[in-house]
Amino acid sequence: MAKIIHTMVRVHDLEKSLNFYKQALDLDISKRLDFEDFSLVYLRNDENDMEIELTWNQGAEPYTHGSGYGHIAVAVDHLDEEHARFQSLGYAPLDIKEFSRDGQLIARFFFVLDPDGYKIEVLQRHGHYQ
């Protein structure tokens, strides 16, 4: 069986991205590989055994996401508190939404953008989203 170990996003301003992922998702650097003109920075916290890889190509123009990119999703215990915390950090999260089917709550969530415009879905731990 294959094990998913990381997902990668290209970032334009590495320090700005590192600050966002630390403040927003409490992700710390688990490994950093610096090369002459690019860096690979792996982020994780104790909640995860999967990482986000930030690829920083020095001097590159900001990236476009194309039509295929979706989002990264994370689960939290207290969605309303996290939404308020994101607002206090100035990250402008979108409104909290609820998704139901046949009167059953499937998910409560909001989206926020990282410094490069990548979408992050923040979900309340519930049902499938643990």
Side-chain angles (χ1 to χ4, degrees):
M1 290 289 243
K3 177 182 177 182
I4 296 173
I5 58 171
H6 73 255
T7 189
M8 183 276 282
V9 295
R10 297 186 192 284
V11 300
H12 180 67
D13 183 329
L14 181 59
E15 288 308 313
K16 193 172 187 179
S17 293
L18 288 172
N19 287 335
F20 172 84
Y21 283 99
K22 176 59 180 168
Q23 290 178 341
L25 305 179
D26 197 27
L27 296 176
D28 293 306
I29 297 172
S30 63
K31 185 172 186 100
R32 181 174 177 154
L33 301 169
D34 292 309
F35 299 91
E36 185 175 320
D37 58 353
F38 72 98
S39 294
L40 305 175
V41 183
Y42 297 89
L43 306 176
R44 71 168 23 184
N45 61 26
D46 291 340
E47 183 76 18
N48 298 288
D49 67 353
M50 185 179 157
E51 297 174 314
I52 294 178
E53 174 191 335
L54 303 182
T55 296
W56 177 49
N57 293 305
Q58 299 171 25
E61 294 296 317
Y63 297 96
T64 60
H65 302 150
S67 61
Y69 175 75
H71 62 269
I72 296 167
V74 300
V76 299
D77 290 324
H78 306 287
L79 188 71
D80 297 285
E81 291 175 18
E82 287 299 297
H83 190 268
R85 189 176 70 81
F86 276 64
Q87 284 179 320
S88 73
L89 292 168
Y91 293 139
L94 299 180
D95 292 339
I96 293 175
K97 303 283 186 185
E98 290 190 1
F99 179 53
S100 298
R101 185 175 62 197
D102 299 327
Q104 295 279 35
L105 178 67
I106 294 172
R108 289 185 74 233
F109 60 93
F110 66 86
F111 279 90
V112 66
L113 299 179
D114 84 350
D116 290 279
Y118 293 107
K119 294 178 186 176
I120 298 173
E121 181 181 21
V122 181
L123 291 132
Q124 175 76 42
R125 289 187 199 275
H126 172 80
H128 180 76
Y129 307 107
Q130 298 291 325

